Amino acid sequence: MKIGFLKDIEPRVSLTPPAHIKYVKSGYDVSLEKGAGLKSGYLDEDYECKKFSRSEVIKNSDIIICVDSSSLREIEKFSNKTLISNFSGEKDTDKLKDGIRKNNITAFDLSKIPRTTIAQSMDILSSMSGLSGYKSVIKAAEILPKMFPMMITAAGSIKPVKVVVLGAGVAGLQAIATAKRLGAVVEASDPREAAKEEVLSLGAKFIEVEGAVEDKEAGGYAVKQTKEFLERQKQEVSRRLKEADVVITTAQVLGSKSPVLISRSVVEEMKPGSVIIDLASSTGGNCELTKDNEITKHNGVSIVGNSFLASELAHDASNLFSNNIFNFIDYVVKDGKFIDQKDDIYKSCKI
Amino acid sequence: MKIGFLKDIEPRVSLTPPAHIKYVKSGYDVSLEKGAGLKSGYLDEDYECKKFSRSEVIKNSDIIICVDSSSLREIEKFSNKTLISNFSGEKDTDKLKDGIRKNNITAFDLSKIPRTTIAQSMDILSSMSGLSGYKSVIKAAEILPKMFPMMITAAGSIKPVKVVVLGAGVAGLQAIATAKRLGAVVEASDPREAAKEEVLSLGAKFIEVEGAVEDKEAGGYAVKQTKEFLERQKQEVSRRLKEADVVITTAQVLGSKSPVLISRSVVEEMKPGSVIIDLASSTGGNCELTKDNEITKHNGVSIVGNSFLASELAHDASNLFSNNIFNFIDYVVKDGKFIDQKDDIYKSCKI
Amino acid sequence: MGELLNFLSQNEVLIYLLLFTVLLGFEVISKVPSVLHTPLMSGANAISGIVILGAIILIRTTDPQDFFTLILASIALFIGSINVFGGFFVTNRMLEMFNKKKNK
Amino acid sequence: MGELLNFLSQNEVLIYLLLFTVLLGFEVISKVPSVLHTPLMSGANAISGIVILGAIILIRTTDPQDFFTLILASIALFIGSINVFGGFFVTNRMLEMFNKKKNK
Amino acid sequence: MDKILFLISAFLLVWGLRLQSDPASASKGNKFAAVGMLIALFSASIMPLENSSGNYLWILTPIVFSAVIGYIIAKKIQMTSMPQMVSIFNGLGGLSAVLLSYTEINKWILSPESYPGFVLVVLIVSLFIGSVAFTGSLLAFAKLDGYRWSEKLTLPFQHIINLILLFSIAFSSYLFIDSSGGYTFLYIIISISLIYGIFFVAPIGGADMPVVISLLNSFTGITAALTGVIFDNKVMLLGGILVGAAGTILTVLMCQAMNRSLLNVLVGGFSSSGSSSKSDEQGDIREISDSDFAVQLFYSQKVIIVPGYGLAVAQAQKLCKEIQEVLESNDVEVKYAIHPVAGRMPGHMNVLLAEADVDYSKLIELDEANENFKTTDVAVIIGANDVVNPDAIDDTSSPLYGMPILKVWESTSSVVLKRSMSAGYAGVQNPLFFKENNKMYFGDAKDSLQRLSTELKNL
Amino acid sequence: MDKILFLISAFLLVWGLRLQSDPASASKGNKFAAVGMLIALFSASIMPLENSSGNYLWILTPIVFSAVIGYIIAKKIQMTSMPQMVSIFNGLGGLSAVLLSYTEINKWILSPESYPGFVLVVLIVSLFIGSVAFTGSLLAFAKLDGYRWSEKLTLPFQHIINLILLFSIAFSSYLFIDSSGGYTFLYIIISISLIYGIFFVAPIGGADMPVVISLLNSFTGITAALTGVIFDNKVMLLGGILVGAAGTILTVLMCQAMNRSLLNVLVGGFSSSGSSSKSDEQGDIREISDSDFAVQLFYSQKVIIVPGYGLAVAQAQKLCKEIQEVLESNDVEVKYAIHPVAGRMPGHMNVLLAEADVDYSKLIELDEANENFKTTDVAVIIGANDVVNPDAIDDTSSPLYGMPILKVWESTSSVVLKRSMSAGYAGVQNPLFFKENNKMYFGDAKDSLQRLSTELKNL
Ligand SMILES: NC(=O)c1ccc[n+]([C@@H]2O[C@H](COP(=O)([O-])OP(=O)(O)OC[C@H]3O[C@@H](n4cnc5c(N)ncnc54)[C@H](OP(=O)(O)O)[C@@H]3O)[C@@H](O)[C@H]2O)c1
Ligand SMILES: NC(=O)c1ccc[n+]([C@@H]2O[C@H](COP(=O)([O-])OP(=O)(O)OC[C@H]3O[C@@H](n4cnc5c(N)ncnc54)[C@H](OP(=O)(O)O)[C@@H]3O)[C@@H](O)[C@H]2O)c1
Ligand SMILES: NC(=O)c1ccc[n+]([C@@H]2O[C@H](COP(=O)([O-])OP(=O)(O)OC[C@H]3O[C@@H](n4cnc5c(N)ncnc54)[C@H](O)[C@@H]3O)[C@@H](O)[C@H]2O)c1
Ligand SMILES: NC(=O)c1ccc[n+]([C@@H]2O[C@H](COP(=O)([O-])OP(=O)(O)OC[C@H]3O[C@@H](n4cnc5c(N)ncnc54)[C@H](O)[C@@H]3O)[C@@H](O)[C@H]2O)c1
């Protein structure tokens, strides 16, 4: 089978040299768009595969892969081929589906991989969330005019920074771990029952809010919470936000808009110089003032709306992403054919 | 005594609200230029002292203080008064000294405080270096397209970042500690004998280079090294730099240009995407390609030349700085008069 | 009761000895880690083969012509000795495991 | 040598007893943590006051008119008893410290 | 001369036993005891006897033969069948005592005046206990070896039957002494004693055999002591009593190690064996005791630690590092096998171990770990579950099927630290826990590791 | 009857001693032994004696008086003077044995036929050992209590003099027995023995006294045993031997705990005393032993740890945290006092303690710490030096003069952990080390804390 990897608009690339070796071992014929890895620090020389222009790659391949579907504006060219990408950033889903159907394209959306133990090696959301969580803290530390750790020095003492993490999923947990590492005092909130133990297992404090709704069927995902819960949570959290220096929000609910956990008035009560990093911005943001893909300032508080911070760690992100894709292909393709369409993972990703 | 604090061009401020309380307790009459603390996150309302315009502050005070001497372009206005500031960033020292003499100004350069145990509470170099060391690592982490810690994940493993620190003084040590915290593998080099133990005490590796020159009289400072030593050191260090992801250089020698430890050719052999943070840039830089106060890119390697990273942590930096100044004044002023001119600290700082 | 007291005072020292031996037996074993249970059992078993001393004494005091006794005692000695020798050897093998470490 | 052997066989049981007592003494103490050194020393010291049994026996077998012996032995008893009683009480006080913590 | 030798021998036996209670000196202790035994044999052979008549050939021949046979058996036997061996040996010891007593009693029957009655009582008791030890040990062996009779066999009214047997023995003995030695009574005594031995062991489960053997061993010790009384030999007396006492304590300790009482074991109490306190269709699990675990680690060459989410929950990473350091200072190679999905976020284990300052070079990834397990003595699984679940390989119906996992069971043995038998994230039971070479060490990981660390430091 | 009582008493003494070797049961053990002793006293008073003549008043009076006196002393005495007390008691025990032996010898002089020569030898040995124990213990007491004679006093040719003394005793004894009892010889024996006791203890340093007391105690045990031989009393004999053996082992263990050999202690070896091994014009320093340190911390209410650069050098932060946790689990309040310039970079201690995951709330700053020391039981200074130097306050000529420092000496006691007496960064000596209420605990901080932690966990 011939697989082609396209260059993305964003810095990540869907094939790295180590992943390439795996494809070759598995007997695939790999081609790469020229210069695709440059922004992640992989030169064309680093790859031992064919490098073509974009149109040639598309023409020559059965399966075409790129990191983000927004790089795929030439949908008609993919007719009768297979497309694998992350479609979660897609603005106009209907149009895309239309194009896919019309052109008889087999398309897989990697962001739909189920959150099961066995699928974890293909789960781009997990791997990218981890990176985003880390980077969110680094970014906050870069913006914040304070040091994270406590310091008792001859010139006076520096108090440790207070970090509040809202949403202790994969990204949130990694943010907690990173902030703890840097010496911050960390508190976190999440409606999922399991989250409490997970937060404590990283040495952070958990903000208790009663009355969360849980759905065991949701596959580990959080479900929509009641108004009352969200209100109680807002109260509990706001109290802490006034003291906080850094707030990192990751709260998402599968299939709906992210809950708004920080209202304008709370932002206005926060200390000047504080930083909010909103990783949920692409699904509407957890802060009322978040603007997706923008850094705004309100009353001295910086609000960073960015759901794709992983892209800033392009080197590592590309590495994990391309491994995820390889693992996916390795799973769904057996002996040159796609496997049984009833397979859980196959079913979930198929558009 | 009347003390006036001026607004600086840079974000730090030489008086913070907690320091103000100390002055008041010691019986000083304090005035502040309007808006001086804004950039450090201190609003005028936060201070319970008189706020004046710049010229008024100067007119009304016996002692005038600002963070950095480059904000003091009206030297003639200070005649017969006392000036306390950090003069180390001064480009044209001769002209300044001239002005001071002509206008009969008593001026103290805080950057000249001796490195003794007793003077440590006034030592702005120490306190600012600590902050710079921390920030250098945060900045590197922000720029680097990789994660610092090692991660073994379902999508493949991320190797820990390698950090090399050149110069294990106050800033270097803090950089080592911060990088270790974030999970990097850290190595450091320094010609001072005591540095080895200090580096090891932070859990980092020490790069051994034989034949360093030491001078017990230098008060803890490093002295100029022989050509042979610098050559050997370059070799030892270069080997590691090729593997390194982040390099933080702080090597300075009292009273002379900083040693060049990284030549252009070494930079060219480094991995694309790597980052060099040169904290010694104001005294010439430890890397041949460093440009002071600029971020340059060479062959994919980012080189940050910035000796005043502490300014980016304006909140904490102002705090420590203003404590240092208070401690200094508290030391040199006894009962409304300057103390014995033979005092070590007094002597060292007096311009 | 009087008889017992009598017996006691006649064999006073012996009784102290028995008491102390029992105490010693308890004391010696009381803090053994459980990995040593099996080897120790084996070692104690080998020691309990001390009964063959009786066989030796019996044989030595038996009339050389009294083949019945001699044969029976010899068998007892033979069987008992297997217990003793086999016991010590087996114990030794089990315990060698522990030695390996120390010699490194 | 011959005499020694003779002595040995006459007092065989006693000698075993002494040997075992010494072993027991060693065994009982050999694993004591060092915090217990002082109390244990004190406790052992109290036991060593057992010498006063001698004084009691002596007094009981002395002619009631032999005041010299009686007085001397009584003093010995008095002094020795201080050792015994004081010893046990003092040890007890030292050891109560360990109890206190445990009871909390 | 012989007296001194006996004294020395007694000392060596005691001291040898004492040394055997500490792993570091145990081997030396066994040698001490062996030397003590040799000295005793030697002095028993040279000691002046009233009416000694030599017969040295009758002595030397059996000793030489048995020494050779004992040596060969000991060499050939597999390490795993040690308990069986001990059991056989013990039976032989019992038989030897029986024969001796029988011979002596025989002497008495022939010339009733040669012994006072009290000696005869001693002889009969010795005969009885020896017989019980003999058949009991043989049955214990059979249960251990074949596992054929390993079920407990309890007759109805077992206790009453036992009482009747005991009473019959006592009564026959009385008749025997009273009749001044009818062989019939003697044989009745012997037969019932032998049967009693079988009845004694029969109701006890196969897994409790070691306890029984230890108990029977202390019985043999007592017969030796009794025989010592008859032959007026102090070493026999003392050695026997020593073994009797030590054996009894040892038996109690072994019961404690299995969390059972001795009575419970003897009555064949609540289950067929202590080592299977929990079981379902998957089979039995085995628990490991503190000291066994510590010793096993201590004497390993290579240990691999598999951390999981439970380690994070317990926040026991620092203790884990501490144990690593203790082991390393004893030349044990320690590695951490990091499964890619261990924990609850990517890299959770890295974060955790970095907090404890575990060197990166000690961490090995899945593939490398799986190559390593084959040469590993102990795999220590701390709070991990799904990532070491063999169903991921074997069971196509498992939700984990297809996930690469850490094959800890390929190491010589594995120990799992967790609080209960409950499942991990994926919610499925783990067949690893029931494997032959796996042991469980229950408790919150922090407590468990604390106990382990204390135990290790005391070694 | 009395025989059975004696047997029970012997058992209680042994078992009591045994229980006393474990902190958990020690108190019970002491009571066991006390009961054993009472039973022995009782049965000695009731046992049938050949020519008993009553005299019960002579027995009861001293016992009642001494019991009351013993009780009062034990109640009144301060915990800190326990070793002195034991020393006095032991001396009394020795004296009692001397008096007894003397009385018996006196009897022999009056009627030489009443004892065989061998008993006389035993008596004289008992006399000798008792005397040595008596004067030795008194001197030991004086050295411990007053510290006046705490220096070692070594005569030239000490060993030769000792030999001569021993020889004179032996020779006088020979003459005494030979002459069938000249009082002169007897008094010579006693006098020289008393002198020898002083010579025996004199060369030993004050800090080694506990070892000496323990040794003298085992001597007393031996005299008790010897006396037991004379009075043909098994409990005396066995009790004495038991104490003799246990005392000897204890002595050896105590030496080991101080890292010395017994010989070394007795010869007065390399230093006059452990507690003042170094001294200059500043005065003496006192070392603290592992167990004392552990006990002191364990029974404190509040402990403040002062970390310094040495803690970082030793990389012992995790051990430090471990000790904090052990103490806290025993209800000791633990805080860390962070001096602003401790370490080698601003915030060094914060970085260090954060690595060990010490909670921020446990850290207190200079001013707060200085308010806290007054109510602190123990300040533990780990690898800090300049930051706790009182010269910064007292000595205008010190380079540190004027720097605010941590006033650790205001706490009830302080312990400094460092490797040697060498100076810190500022290069000046620290008078804290010589303060009355300060003790030193030498060694690399990692080793020291490891030792301390082990000791603490054994409590
Ligand atoms: N890595 C990721 O990114 C990620 C994210 C989400 C989910 N997951 C999933 O999480 C699982 C990870 O596997 P795992 O083996 O690490 O964990 P696991 O399968 O969840 O098992 C953890 C085990 O630790 C034990 N435990 C919990 N607390 C403990 C304590 N205090 N002391 C001792 N034991 C304790 C539990 O047993 P007891 O209750 O009996 O003690 C449990 O069986 C995988 O199924 C993975 O797919 C991973
Ligand atoms: N904080 C800063 O920014 C900074 C920067 C530069 C200099 N300084 C200076 O450094 C000093 C700091 O004071 P400090 O009390 O922390 O340290 P210090 O005065 O330098 O004393 C450290 C002590 O630790 C002991 N030590 C070293 N290694 C050890 C080990 N492995 N185990 C146990 N003990 C060990 C040393 O004694 P032994 O050798 O006997 O063991 C030494 O006396 C001040 O004088 C300060 O001015 C501070
Ligand atoms: N099976 C696997 O191996 C695997 C892999 C990755 C993730 N997961 C699981 O998937 C789940 C979701 O992870 P994710 O990071 O993708 O989640 P996500 O990105 O969908 O959401 C992020 C977090 O926001 C939380 N959230 C929702 N509403 C909130 C509110 N009102 N306030 C605060 N927080 C709120 C969610 O509970 C979640 O923890 C987790 O349980 C994770 O453990 C499982
Ligand atoms: N007494 C005090 O309390 C106190 C306070 C602060 C600093 N100090 C001491 O002052 C000294 C200097 O500290 P600093 O940070 O201001 O130093 P600095 O800024 O002057 O120099 C930074 C470091 O560069 C090192 N360096 C010089 N040449 C080098 C080369 N060729 N290669 C690598 N490194 C080289 C120096 O040794 C020094 O460690 C240190 O010893 C520090 O401990 C003491």
Side-chain angles (χ1 to χ4, degrees), chain A residues 114-118 120 123 125-126 129 166-173 189-192 194-195 198 219-223 225 229-230 233 250-254 259 261, chain E residues 341 344 346 425:
Chain A
R115 263 28 224 293
T116 57
T117 296
I118 168 98
Q120 217 179 326
D123 183 357
L125 288 191
S126 261
S129 295
L166 301 177
V170 175
L173 290 177
S189 168
D190 197 302
R192 285 184 301 113
E198 290 167 14
Y221 280 106
V223 292
Q225 300 297 324
F229 173 83
L230 286 177
Q233 188 190 19
T250 76
Q252 286 184 301
V253 175
L254 190 64
L261 304 172
Chain E
V341 311
R344 287 292 182 273
Y425 185 84

Side-chain angles (χ1 to χ4, degrees), chain A residues 242-292:
Chain A
K242 282 173 213 157
E243 303 281 299
D245 301 291
V246 173
V247 184
I248 292 170
T249 69
T250 76
Q252 286 184 301
V253 175
L254 190 64
S256 66
K257 201 178 153 306
S258 315
V260 174
L261 304 172
I262 310 176
S263 58
R264 167 189 289 266
S265 65
V266 173
V267 173
E268 281 165 2
E269 282 182 292
M270 285 175 67
K271 291 189 278 186
S274 316
V275 181
I276 298 175
I277 312 269
D278 192 342
L279 293 180
S281 64
S282 71
T283 51
N286 294 139
C287 173
E288 200 182 332
L289 302 173
T290 301
K291 296 207 181 92
D292 193 20

